[in-house]
Structures are given as C-alpha cells and as structure tokens.
Amino acid sequence: MNNRNRNSLPVYVQIAELIIRDIAAGRLMEGERLPPEREMAAGLNTSVGTLRKALSELTKKGLLERIQGSGNYIKTGQVRDSVYGMFRLELHEGGGLPRADILSVEAQKKPSDLPSFGYSDHATCIRRLRYLNDTIIATEEIWLDDSVGKVDSANLSDSLYHYYQKNLGFWISRAEDRVSVAKVPAWAPDNFTKRPGDTVGFVERLSWSDKDRPIEFSRTWFDTDQALYVQRLK
C-alpha cells in the first residue's frame, strides 16, 4: 500500500476504506472469503500486523466476520463512519481509494460567483488534485467558511472530512450535490488528465455540519474517461 505523503491517513485506515469502497461497489460480495492474510498483506505491500488492524476496524463496523481457523468473510451491512462515506467518484470498474495532492491553501474573501453559504464573508480556499488508487481523476476547489475555524495547511490529510473532525471539531453530516458538465478551470495543474477549457463532469456540493446553514462549498471537475459519479440508494 503506497502511503504517498506524511499527512496521508494511517495505512490501516486506507486499507479499511479501500475494502469498504469495494463492498459498496459490489466488487466484494456477502459471504465472500478474503485471501489468506499473508497473501493479502503482500498484495497490498503492507505488514500482516497492519492488515490485521484494518480487518479489526472492518469487524467493528460490522462489515467483516473473522472465523478462527477458517478466514475472514465479507458482511455487506450498512457502512457507517467511513471517512470517504460521501465521496461519490469511483473508477469505471468500481471502488478505488481516494487520495489527494494539495495544490494551494488560501484564506480570502469569498468571490461573488460562489453561492451563499456559511456565516462569514471570508473562507479558506483549498485546491487539490484527486486520485483513485494511483489514477488521476479530478481537480477540485473547496471553500470552507471562516466561522468553523482556520485551516492549517501543514496538517491537511487526504480526507478533509477526517481533518475537520480531528482538527476543527465538527463532522459533515449531510451534503447536496448538483451534477452537470463544465469546462476545466485555467488553474488546473499540468498533470491533470484534461486541459483547461475541456468539457468534463462537474459536481457542485454544499455541505452541512450541525448548523442551519451549509459551511462548505466545493466544485469538482472530473475526467469521465477515468471515473464516474455513483450514488447508491438503499
């Protein structure tokens, strides 16, 4: 398992989240037996101890049954407390572990083209390049209202929602997505798979914590040749 930077989520969390997304995508089915732990750890380029910690997390979430002397079996219950529970982009074959490179972090006055959100006229703008596994899929811009605290760019992790909970003391409880198409912005990095001005998939999201107004707004431009927006209803 490739731990890409010092602010990545712990490897055992990454492994647990990868398996959760494979369950959600239907790549792992109810009752399916996982490979032997040593074989699985080698395939993920991690230690058996780290893998077992990930499997323990899945057991706590009710998504795995560990039978002594037999193996580890998938349980497709409802996924709760996933750090990527609201991440809707998947590889075409399903799943994929979300990762991100930080492009810039800047506190500034909200531009006039943003929708109304939050309680302040200032916000922190975070621009990122997004991956699923090691495939570049999207570039995005997140605006976090100043009322919920200041963002320390040195401590940002692959999961912003995890960072919000750990460092700012709140959790995103719900979100509203609007999916359409749009042109790649001029600031998109050179290594994004599409050029500025190309038409790609586009997601605008307003996110709420426990307040009456959304406290985050994001825009994601994603390459439909690499990823799809998926919403499952249960």
Side-chain angles (χ1 to χ4, degrees), residues 140-206:
E140 69 179 1
E141 182 178 81
I142 304 104
W143 294 86
L144 183 67
D145 192 65
D146 264 12
S147 66
V148 295
K150 300 296 183 181
V151 174
D152 179 4
S153 59
N155 290 319
L156 285 178
S157 71
D158 283 333
S159 169
L160 283 184
Y161 290 178
H162 180 78
Y163 173 85
Y164 294 163
Q165 182 185 43
K166 182 178 178 182
N167 295 85
L168 298 179
F170 72 91
W171 185 258
I172 297 296
S173 59
R174 65 186 180 96
E176 176 185 293
D177 287 352
R178 296 188 177 187
V179 185
S180 60
V181 296
K183 295 185 183 301
V184 175
W187 55 262
D190 291 341
N191 57 335
F192 184 42
T193 51
K194 299 294 184 180
R195 302 274 61 82
D198 288 349
T199 299
V200 295
F202 184 55
V203 182
E204 295 177 286
R205 169 174 287 186
L206 285 167

Side-chain angles (χ1 to χ4, degrees), residues 30-223:
E30 176 77 28
E32 184 172 344
R33 183 178 181 273
L34 294 178
E37 290 180 358
R38 291 191 182 279
E39 177 184 330
M40 192 173 178
L44 292 167
N45 193 28
T46 192
S47 68
V48 172
T50 298
L51 174 65
R52 286 175 177 166
K53 195 170 182 181
L55 298 179
S56 178
E57 287 295 302
L58 293 170
T59 302
K60 291 176 186 176
K61 294 177 187 293
L63 297 174
L64 194 73
E65 183 177 10
R66 308 183 73 182
I67 301 176
Q68 184 69 31
S70 178
N72 300 302
Y73 295 85
I74 294 296
K75 296 174 65 178
T76 55
Q78 184 176 349
V79 176
R80 296 183 177 89
D81 303 323
S82 167
V83 297
Y84 295 117
M86 293 188 185
F87 191 77
R88 302 300 183 203
L89 297 180
E90 293 185 1
L91 296 171
H92 281 231
E93 63 270 24
L97 179 68
R99 303 178 186 274
D101 288 339
I102 304 296
L103 302 175
S104 65
V105 179
E106 183 180 358
Q108 57 183 278
K109 188 173 181 178
K110 294 176 181 175
S112 59
D113 66 332
L114 298 187
S116 177
F117 72 99
Y119 303 87
S120 172
D121 62 356
H122 283 70
T124 299
C125 176
I126 304 165
R127 288 176 173 170
R128 306 197 297 176
L129 182 68
R130 297 305 303 256
Y131 300 73
L132 283 171
N133 297 335
D134 292 319
T135 299
I136 294 171
I137 62 156
T139 191
E140 69 179 1
E141 182 178 81
I142 304 104
W143 294 86
L144 183 67
D145 192 65
D146 264 12
S147 66
V148 295
K150 300 296 183 181
V151 174
D152 179 4
S153 59
N155 290 319
L156 285 178
S157 71
D158 283 333
S159 169
L160 283 184
Y161 290 178
H162 180 78
Y163 173 85
Y164 294 163
Q165 182 185 43
K166 182 178 178 182
N167 295 85
L168 298 179
F170 72 91
W171 185 258
I172 297 296
S173 59
R174 65 186 180 96
E176 176 185 293
D177 287 352
R178 296 188 177 187
V179 185
S180 60
V181 296
K183 295 185 183 301
V184 175
W187 55 262
D190 291 341
N191 57 335
F192 184 42
T193 51
K194 299 294 184 180
R195 302 274 61 82
D198 288 349
T199 299
V200 295
F202 184 55
V203 182
E204 295 177 286
R205 169 174 287 186
L206 285 167
S207 303
W208 285 257
S209 58
D210 58 348
K211 309 295 184 182
D212 61 340
R213 303 192 67 189
I215 47 80
E216 181 198 68
F217 172 68
S218 67
R219 299 187 277 214
T220 302
W221 295 262
F222 68 96
D223 182 354

